Amino acid sequence: MADSSFDVVSKVERQEVDNALHQAAKEISQRYDFKGVDASIDWSGEKIEMRANSEERVKAVLDIFQSKLVKRGISLKALETGEPQASGKEYRITGSLQQGISQDNAKKVAKIIRDEGPKGVKAQVQGDELRVSAKSRDSLQEVIALLKGKDLDFALQFENYR
C-alpha cells in the first residue's frame, strides 16, 4: 500500500481578503465616528494601506479590517502590519499578506513533527510548503492535531490529504 500524505501550506485566498477589505471600507464610510476624518482603506499594489487623520483613527480602521478578516475565516497571523506613521496631516499603516512557509519556519515544523509526532512520519520541504507522509492515515491525523495545537507565529493550512 502506498504512503498517505498531505501538504502543510500557508496561503491566503486573495478574493476573501479583497471582500474583507471592501466590507471594512463600506463600514468606515458609513460609521458616524468616522465622519469627516478622511479615513480609508484600500490596496496599494500588493500591500494594504490604511489612512486617517489621527493615530487612534487609523488603529480603529485596522481593527475593523481585522474583524472582517476573522469573520471570513482568515488568520490574523497572515496579516503583517507596521506601526502608524505620520505622513503630512495623516497617519498611515501599511499591511501585507504572508504567503508560503519560509525555509526556517518549514524546518521548525519538520522538527516538531520529528520530535513530537508519531513514529514513521516523514516531513520534507518542497519550496514554500511541507509534504508530510506516513503509512498510516491515523498518524497523519495525529500530526494535524499536533500542529493545530502548537502556537506558531504563522498561519497553517492542510491540503491534498490523500
Side-chain angles (χ1 to χ4, degrees):
M1 187 175 129
D3 282 1
S4 299
S5 68
F6 68 88
D7 295 331
V8 180
V9 296
S10 182
K11 292 181 182 173
V12 177
E13 192 154 336
R14 173 139 175 147
Q15 186 60 50
E16 287 297 321
V17 175
D18 203 37
N19 291 341
L21 186 121
H22 289 303
Q23 286 178 339
K26 186 174 181 181
E27 183 173 326
I28 290 163
S29 71
Q30 293 175 346
R31 272 185 34 179
Y32 177 76
D33 56 336
F34 282 109
K35 293 283 186 238
V37 296
D38 296 330
S40 67
I41 180 171
D42 57 3
W43 289 104
S44 173
E46 284 297 307
K47 301 211 177 283
I48 299 164
E49 198 168 89
M50 294 154 264
R51 291 188 282 287
N53 65 359
S54 74
E55 190 172 338
E56 294 80 32
R57 289 283 180 236
V58 78
K59 285 182 178 178
V61 170
L62 174 62
D63 189 48
I64 290 170
F65 181 54
Q66 288 175 334
S67 71
K68 299 301 180 191
L69 287 174
V70 169
K71 283 183 183 173
R72 294 202 152 270
I74 298 170
S75 172
L76 293 181
K77 292 177 182 178
L79 177 69
E80 196 171 276
T81 58
E83 289 298 312
Q85 296 172 336
S87 170
K89 289 185 177 180
E90 68 181 11
Y91 284 83
R92 294 179 183 199
I93 295 179
T94 304
S96 62
L97 297 170
Q98 302 304 316
Q99 297 277 31
I101 302 175
S102 70
Q103 289 290 328
D104 293 340
N105 289 337
K107 287 177 184 174
K108 276 188 215 172
V109 173
K111 182 170 174 30
I112 290 170
I113 293 170
R114 233 186 357 264
D115 295 347
E116 302 174 33
K119 296 283 183 236
V121 177
K122 296 185 284 295
Q124 60 195 67
V125 179
Q126 295 181 334
D128 61 351
E129 56 186 43
L130 189 74
R131 167 77 42 96
V132 180
S133 58
K135 295 244 182 269
S136 157
R137 285 182 171 226
D138 292 339
S139 297
L140 294 180
Q141 292 287 342
E142 288 178 44
V143 170
I144 290 174
L146 171 72
L147 293 178
K148 281 184 178 178
K150 292 289 178 191
D151 186 27
L152 301 169
D153 55 346
F154 51 96
L156 291 180
Q157 293 86 33
F158 308 100
E159 59 183 31
N160 296 334
Y161 183 77
R162 31 183 131 88

